[in-house]
mmCIF file of all heavy atoms in Angstrom:
data_model
loop_
_atom_site.group_PDB
_atom_site.id
_atom_site.type_symbol
_atom_site.label_atom_id
_atom_site.label_comp_id
_atom_site.label_asym_id
_atom_site.label_seq_id
_atom_site.Cartn_x
_atom_site.Cartn_y
_atom_site.Cartn_z
ATOM 1 N N LYS A 1006 -29.843 -18.100 5.259
ATOM 2 C CA LYS A 1006 -30.002 -16.888 4.453
ATOM 3 C C LYS A 1006 -31.478 -16.627 4.156
ATOM 4 O O LYS A 1006 -31.940 -15.480 4.197
ATOM 5 C CB LYS A 1006 -29.218 -17.024 3.145
ATOM 6 C CG LYS A 1006 -27.702 -17.048 3.309
ATOM 7 C CD LYS A 1006 -27.019 -17.250 1.965
ATOM 8 C CE LYS A 1006 -25.499 -17.330 2.135
ATOM 9 N NZ LYS A 1006 -24.817 -17.571 0.843
ATOM 10 N N ARG A 1007 -32.224 -17.701 3.845
ATOM 11 C CA ARG A 1007 -33.648 -17.535 3.564
ATOM 12 C C ARG A 1007 -34.406 -17.075 4.806
ATOM 13 O O ARG A 1007 -35.326 -16.262 4.721
ATOM 14 C CB ARG A 1007 -34.226 -18.859 3.051
ATOM 15 C CG ARG A 1007 -33.767 -19.239 1.650
ATOM 16 C CD ARG A 1007 -34.451 -18.397 0.581
ATOM 17 N NE ARG A 1007 -35.882 -18.671 0.530
ATOM 18 C CZ ARG A 1007 -36.423 -19.691 -0.135
ATOM 19 N NH1 ARG A 1007 -35.645 -20.535 -0.813
ATOM 20 N NH2 ARG A 1007 -37.733 -19.847 -0.150
ATOM 21 N N LEU A 1008 -34.033 -17.627 5.965
ATOM 22 C CA LEU A 1008 -34.659 -17.198 7.213
ATOM 23 C C LEU A 1008 -34.366 -15.715 7.457
ATOM 24 O O LEU A 1008 -35.270 -14.938 7.792
ATOM 25 C CB LEU A 1008 -34.156 -18.038 8.382
ATOM 26 C CG LEU A 1008 -34.583 -17.578 9.787
ATOM 27 C CD1 LEU A 1008 -36.102 -17.573 9.920
ATOM 28 C CD2 LEU A 1008 -33.946 -18.463 10.851
ATOM 29 N N ALA A 1009 -33.116 -15.318 7.293
ATOM 30 C CA ALA A 1009 -32.746 -13.912 7.495
ATOM 31 C C ALA A 1009 -33.518 -13.018 6.536
ATOM 32 O O ALA A 1009 -34.014 -11.951 6.918
ATOM 33 C CB ALA A 1009 -31.242 -13.737 7.292
ATOM 34 N N ALA A 1010 -33.647 -13.433 5.285
ATOM 35 C CA ALA A 1010 -34.373 -12.631 4.297
ATOM 36 C C ALA A 1010 -35.852 -12.535 4.657
ATOM 37 O O ALA A 1010 -36.474 -11.476 4.486
ATOM 38 C CB ALA A 1010 -34.208 -13.232 2.904
ATOM 39 N N ALA A 1011 -36.427 -13.609 5.169
ATOM 40 C CA ALA A 1011 -37.841 -13.602 5.537
ATOM 41 C C ALA A 1011 -38.092 -12.661 6.709
ATOM 42 O O ALA A 1011 -39.105 -11.945 6.749
ATOM 43 C CB ALA A 1011 -38.308 -15.010 5.879
ATOM 44 N N VAL A 1012 -37.189 -12.658 7.679
ATOM 45 C CA VAL A 1012 -37.338 -11.758 8.829
ATOM 46 C C VAL A 1012 -37.207 -10.309 8.372
ATOM 47 O O VAL A 1012 -37.979 -9.433 8.781
ATOM 48 C CB VAL A 1012 -36.298 -12.090 9.919
ATOM 49 C CG1 VAL A 1012 -36.384 -11.081 11.063
ATOM 50 C CG2 VAL A 1012 -36.511 -13.507 10.450
ATOM 51 N N LEU A 1013 -36.240 -10.039 7.503
ATOM 52 C CA LEU A 1013 -36.040 -8.681 7.007
ATOM 53 C C LEU A 1013 -37.212 -8.254 6.125
ATOM 54 O O LEU A 1013 -37.657 -7.101 6.176
ATOM 55 C CB LEU A 1013 -34.729 -8.609 6.227
ATOM 56 C CG LEU A 1013 -34.074 -7.238 6.082
ATOM 57 C CD1 LEU A 1013 -33.930 -6.544 7.429
ATOM 58 C CD2 LEU A 1013 -32.711 -7.375 5.411
ATOM 59 N N ARG A 1014 -37.733 -9.172 5.342
ATOM 60 C CA ARG A 1014 -38.911 -8.892 4.513
ATOM 61 C C ARG A 1014 -40.099 -8.498 5.393
ATOM 62 O O ARG A 1014 -40.818 -7.540 5.105
ATOM 63 C CB ARG A 1014 -39.252 -10.118 3.672
ATOM 64 C CG ARG A 1014 -40.530 -9.979 2.839
ATOM 65 C CD ARG A 1014 -40.897 -11.311 2.195
ATOM 66 N NE ARG A 1014 -42.214 -11.253 1.563
ATOM 67 C CZ ARG A 1014 -42.434 -11.020 0.271
ATOM 68 N NH1 ARG A 1014 -41.420 -10.834 -0.549
ATOM 69 N NH2 ARG A 1014 -43.661 -10.980 -0.215
ATOM 70 N N HIS A 1015 -40.292 -9.237 6.478
ATOM 71 C CA HIS A 1015 -41.390 -8.923 7.393
ATOM 72 C C HIS A 1015 -41.236 -7.523 7.966
ATOM 73 O O HIS A 1015 -42.199 -6.760 8.046
ATOM 74 C CB HIS A 1015 -41.439 -9.955 8.521
ATOM 75 C CG HIS A 1015 -42.590 -9.742 9.462
ATOM 76 N ND1 HIS A 1015 -42.523 -8.872 10.530
ATOM 77 C CD2 HIS A 1015 -43.835 -10.272 9.484
ATOM 78 C CE1 HIS A 1015 -43.684 -8.882 11.171
ATOM 79 N NE2 HIS A 1015 -44.491 -9.716 10.560
ATOM 80 N N ARG A 1016 -40.026 -7.156 8.351
ATOM 81 C CA ARG A 1016 -39.797 -5.807 8.879
ATOM 82 C C ARG A 1016 -40.092 -4.744 7.823
ATOM 83 O O ARG A 1016 -40.708 -3.714 8.113
ATOM 84 C CB ARG A 1016 -38.353 -5.652 9.366
ATOM 85 C CG ARG A 1016 -38.144 -6.177 10.770
ATOM 86 C CD ARG A 1016 -36.769 -5.835 11.303
ATOM 87 N NE ARG A 1016 -36.504 -4.402 11.394
ATOM 88 C CZ ARG A 1016 -36.981 -3.605 12.340
ATOM 89 N NH1 ARG A 1016 -37.781 -4.077 13.265
ATOM 90 N NH2 ARG A 1016 -36.650 -2.321 12.366
ATOM 91 N N LEU A 1017 -39.679 -4.988 6.606
ATOM 92 C CA LEU A 1017 -39.933 -4.011 5.539
ATOM 93 C C LEU A 1017 -41.423 -3.794 5.318
ATOM 94 O O LEU A 1017 -41.877 -2.675 5.087
ATOM 95 C CB LEU A 1017 -39.288 -4.488 4.240
ATOM 96 C CG LEU A 1017 -37.776 -4.277 4.107
ATOM 97 C CD1 LEU A 1017 -37.211 -5.141 3.006
ATOM 98 C CD2 LEU A 1017 -37.462 -2.816 3.844
ATOM 99 N N LEU A 1018 -42.193 -4.853 5.406
ATOM 100 C CA LEU A 1018 -43.613 -4.772 5.108
ATOM 101 C C LEU A 1018 -44.468 -4.371 6.315
ATOM 102 O O LEU A 1018 -45.641 -4.039 6.136
ATOM 103 C CB LEU A 1018 -44.115 -6.121 4.542
ATOM 104 C CG LEU A 1018 -43.608 -6.475 3.147
ATOM 105 C CD1 LEU A 1018 -44.031 -7.874 2.762
ATOM 106 C CD2 LEU A 1018 -44.104 -5.463 2.107
ATOM 107 N N HIS A 1019 -43.888 -4.374 7.508
ATOM 108 C CA HIS A 1019 -44.720 -4.151 8.689
ATOM 109 C C HIS A 1019 -44.268 -3.004 9.609
ATOM 110 O O HIS A 1019 -45.020 -2.608 10.482
ATOM 111 C CB HIS A 1019 -44.824 -5.421 9.517
ATOM 112 C CG HIS A 1019 -45.676 -6.484 8.875
ATOM 113 N ND1 HIS A 1019 -47.046 -6.506 8.992
ATOM 114 C CD2 HIS A 1019 -45.352 -7.525 8.085
ATOM 115 C CE1 HIS A 1019 -47.528 -7.530 8.327
ATOM 116 N NE2 HIS A 1019 -46.534 -8.164 7.755
ATOM 117 N N THR A 1020 -43.066 -2.494 9.432
ATOM 118 C CA THR A 1020 -42.593 -1.445 10.334
ATOM 119 C C THR A 1020 -43.076 -0.079 9.870
ATOM 120 O O THR A 1020 -42.957 0.265 8.690
ATOM 121 C CB THR A 1020 -41.064 -1.450 10.435
ATOM 122 O OG1 THR A 1020 -40.638 -2.707 10.953
ATOM 123 C CG2 THR A 1020 -40.584 -0.343 11.354
#
Side-chain angles (χ1 to χ4, degrees):
K1006 292 177 182 178
R1007 289 285 294 277
L1008 172 60
V1012 176
L1013 202 51
R1014 176 188 171 97
H1015 183 275
R1016 277 188 61 77
L1017 281 163
L1018 291 174
H1019 288 276
T1020 299

